[in-house]
Structure formats: structure tokens, C-alpha cells
Amino acid sequence: MRALTFHGKGDIRCESVPDPAIEDPRDAVIKVSACAICGSDLHIYDGVIPQMKNGDVLGHETMGEVVEIGASVKKLKVGDRVVVPFTISCGECYFCEHGFYSACERTNPDHAKAETLWGHSPAGLFGYSHLLGGYRGGQAEYLRVPHADSGPIKVPQNLSDDQALFLSDIFPTGYMAAEFCDIKGGETIAVWGCGPVGQFAIRSAFMLGAERVIAIDHIPERLALAEKAGAETLDFHKVDIYEAINSMTKGRGADACIDAVGTEPDPTGSIDSFIDRVKVAAFLGTDQPHVLRQAVHCCRNFGTVSVVGVYGGFIDKFPMGSAINRGLTFRMAQTPVQRYLPRLLERIEKGDIDPSFVVTHRGTLEEGPDLYKTFRNRKDGCIKVVLQP
Ligand code: NAD
Ligand code: ZN
Ligand code: ZN
């Protein structure tokens, strides 16, 4: 089959790789009808995610038709149309039973490596680092789905692929980011990053009852889409974000701040920046502008900082003094997608949200490498790319 593969920083190729097959009785194989490129894939593209290997198949936002099932799969049958969470979860361990699917203790075969780095191991993920299982991803014609009874959900026929696909990741992620803010009604929520995840966080904050959303980015098309959802927008190249949020909130700060950016390559263009920037900052003692630090400073006392932007490793110069003195709450996670699927599918079916609003670009797998570039460089108004193998 054809698939998008990783070959080092900035080098994604469309290649022929062996077809996946059932390897365990709990597996299913799906024929991919649509898969998306995520901001998390850009961290791989930018070379900031450790333990990627040449030839790894990318992609973790996938849907399609079940074409094969293992002997013990009960909930799916051949022909079902499903969307697949990016988190691979057994559904039976301590963490899955408590709804912490992205911490499943049975789906990361490389858990020892992850434990060395992080203390404990999270779940395996599709198309990501070998610290997270090194599973093949879904930017391909076919995808093997382990633990098929606890991941994929069936998609109603009246929903298009564009309406259902983002249940795999970015809709639950944006929703979780807003849910972390503990919105009771009337709050002001600030959202850093108006990429696809930020867009879903903005809309979810309003769905959960926020009165105001302040959305921060510098890309006109993304700010415009945030405005369309009712957000007030700030361009971080044009205004001092701290000053602006203060003046919009009578000097109090935002009730909660969402980081939907994560690790970003240097805005001046060099891609190596993340690790180097930290080293340089540590060496020179300079205070590099950083979304997370800004989110802490802009949050009102006893407010919440909700982090869904992905960070590859360590971040330095974290303003712990500000957080303890002002009673901030931090919440963050790789989304336990399975926890959110039924209720968000219901939201889509009820018409509360149509997730297809985010799609701007579309192409085949062969066009995938170019579309990675377009999405990374945020060219041509690109917000979200959907590939149709
Ligand atoms: P994206 O790269 O398309 O969007 C990031 C946006 O942040 C861009 O529009 C960029 O201009 C903006 N940005 C950069 N620096 C900024 C700054 N200083 N202030 C404000 N905005 C700034 O990515 P995306 O697909 O929207 O994903 C966003 C983040 O969410 C990524 O880090 C991704 O890895 C992460 N993510 C996390 C999960 C999870 O489970 N926690 C799931 C999906 C994605
Ligand atoms: Zn993703
Ligand atoms: Zn589990």
C-alpha cells in the first residue's frame, strides 16, 4: 500500500510499504477513507519528537471502513464505517477503567524507555514516537487498529467524513482544553493558538458557557475564523498580549488560559530552535517569549492554565513562583479520546457544531508531502488538511 513515511526533519515521503494485517485477535484493519495532518505531526516534521525512525508511517487522525477483524473482536464487523481515536487503549486496565485512556498501561510495548524518561509510561499512539509504541499511523491506505473493541466508534451514515474525522483527535482535544477550565457560565477564556486545536477550544469554550473568548495568534485567516466563532482576537506581533488581556479584563486577567500551541519552531524561521532556544536561554539567562509563560502571567489569581499544546521534552524557566503565589491550577493531557467520543458525536448529530468548518485543504497521499509543507508554513490560508487515499 501507499503511505506517508518519516525520513528525518522536514522529509516526509509517499512510499510503498507492506499492507497491514491482523497480528492479534483483538485487531481490526480499516481501509482509510480520510486522514488528517495534525499540529502534532508538525512536531515530528520539525524534528522535535524523539525516537522517530526512518520509514515510520505517520498519521493519527483516521477514519475508514473495517475490512478485516480478529477472532475476538465483538463490537465491530466488516463493512462498518468508523473513526479511530489517536490513543490506543485496551479498555480493561486500571487507567482505561477510570477513563484515563491515554495512560493505558497495556498498549505501549516500549514502556521501559518511556519510564526512563518520564517516570511512568503513557499509552501507545498511532504514528508517533517509539517512546509511545512506534505504531504505524493512518496516513496510508490501510491501518491496523489494535484493541479494536475499545477505540473506534461507528459513524452514522448521514455524517460526512469531514464531519466525523476530527472526533479522532482535535475536537476532543479542543473540548477537553475548555472542559479543564471548569466553565460555569460567564467566564473569560484566553486561547493561545488559532490552529485547528485552538479553533475547537474556542468553540467548545462557548458551548460550555464562556461569555468571552480572547483568541491569540498572528495568522490573519486563523484569527478571522476565530472571530467568526465570536472570539475577540489579538495578534501577538501587533500588541503586547499581557497588556491587552489585562486591559480587557479590568486588570484581573483571564479566568482561564488555554495553551493550544505547544512546542513551536523559532518564529524567525530556524527549525532547530526548540532545544537550542532552551540551551541559549539557560546559557544567557534571557527570558525567551513563551506561550506557556505568557498564559501563566495572563491568568487571574486562582485561575486555571489548561495545556493541550504538545511539548517534546523539558521546558525551562517555568514561572513556578507566579503559580504558587497566585494559586493557579494546571491541567494538561494527551486527550483520553475514548472518554469524549459518545458525547461529542451527540453534539455533532444535534447540530451544536459542524467540525468540517476547519478544513481548508484536501489531497491524495501522493500530494501529502507538499501538503505537509503548506500546513507547516501556514501558506494559502491553510488551517486543516484532509488526505483521501
Ligand atoms: P498548528 O501548528 O496548526 O497551530 C498552532 C498555532 O499556534 C498556529 O496558528 C501558530 O501561528 C500559533 N502560535 C505560534 N506561536 C504562538 C504564540 N506565541 N502565541 C499564540 N499563538 C501562537 O497546530 P494544531 O493542530 O492546532 O495543534 C496545536 C497544538 O496542540 C500542537 O502542539 C499539537 O501537538 C497539540 N495537540 C495536542 C493534543 C493532545 O492530546 N493534547 C492533540 C492534538 C494536538
Ligand atoms: Zn492530532
Ligand atoms: Zn488500558
Side-chain angles (χ1 to χ4, degrees), residues 16-45:
S16 293
V17 301
D19 286 348
I22 301 288
E23 292 174 21
D24 180 284
R26 293 165 292 188
D27 289 352
V29 173
I30 68 163
K31 182 175 197 296
V32 178
S33 61
C35 52
I37 309 178
C38 179
S40 299
D41 294 322
L42 294 181
H43 303 321
I44 296 175
Y45 186 79

Side-chain angles (χ1 to χ4, degrees), residues 6 38 52 58 68 86 91-92 114 132 156 164 211 244 278 289 305:
F6 172 81
C38 179
M52 291 296 300
L58 300 170
E68 227 185 315
F86 76 93
E92 291 165 353
L132 299 163
E211 185 176 318
V278 171
V305 177

Side-chain angles (χ1 to χ4, degrees), residues 376-388:
R376 158 34 76 220
N377 297 329
R378 288 137 191 172
K379 280 201 309 223
D380 308 329
C382 183
I383 297 179
K384 189 74 178 176
V385 178
V386 173
L387 302 171
Q388 290 159 308

Side-chain angles (χ1 to χ4, degrees), residues 241-309:
I241 297 301
Y242 175 78
E243 300 284 334
I245 292 182
N246 259 356
S247 80
M248 292 163 90
T249 57
K250 302 197 176 93
R252 196 193 284 162
D255 294 304
C257 292
I258 294 175
D259 172 354
V261 181
T263 295
E264 269 288 286
D266 195 313
T268 56
S270 134
I271 263 177
D272 271 317
S273 52
F274 178 65
I275 306 276
D276 291 349
R277 222 158 74 197
V278 171
K279 273 194 206 143
V280 169
F283 180 67
L284 297 174
T286 53
D287 208 32
Q288 297 289 318
H290 195 286
V291 169
L292 195 50
R293 186 173 312 127
Q294 223 168 47
V296 168
H297 285 162
C298 292
C299 192
R300 74 148 159 79
N301 293 354
F302 284 85
T304 297
V305 177
S306 161
V307 185
V308 289

Side-chain angles (χ1 to χ4, degrees), residues 37-43 60-61 86 128 169-170 173 176 191-199 216-219 222 236 241 259-264 289-291 294 307-311 333-337 375-376 378 383-384:
I37 309 178
C38 179
S40 299
D41 294 322
L42 294 181
H43 303 321
H60 59 267
E61 301 183 357
F86 76 93
Y128 230 67
D169 178 349
I170 56 171
T173 297
M176 176 184 75
V191 179
W192 275 257
C194 298
V197 170
Q199 298 291 341
I216 303 140
D217 206 303
H218 72 113
I219 299 170
R222 294 182 176 206
F236 65 81
I241 297 301
D259 172 354
V261 181
T263 295
E264 269 288 286
H290 195 286
V291 169
Q294 223 168 47
V307 185
V308 289
V310 161
Y311 290 90
Q334 290 279 16
T335 312
V337 175
F375 181 47
R376 158 34 76 220
R378 288 137 191 172
I383 297 179
K384 189 74 178 176

Side-chain angles (χ1 to χ4, degrees), residues 64-120:
E65 185 189 323
V66 176
V67 289
E68 227 185 315
I69 53 170
S72 66
V73 173
K74 292 192 180 66
K75 294 188 189 155
L76 297 181
K77 57 180 191 327
V78 170
D80 283 345
R81 180 169 170 248
V82 294
V83 58
V84 184
F86 76 93
T87 40
I88 303 173
S89 314
C90 77
E92 291 165 353
C93 71
Y94 171 88
F95 292 99
C96 288
E97 281 196 336
H98 287 78
F100 307 132
Y101 297 98
S102 51
C104 174
E105 57 192 357
R106 295 193 189 152
T107 57
N108 187 356
D110 298 327
H111 62 92
K113 264 190 258 168
E115 280 154 17
T116 307
L117 188 64
W118 294 323
H120 296 273

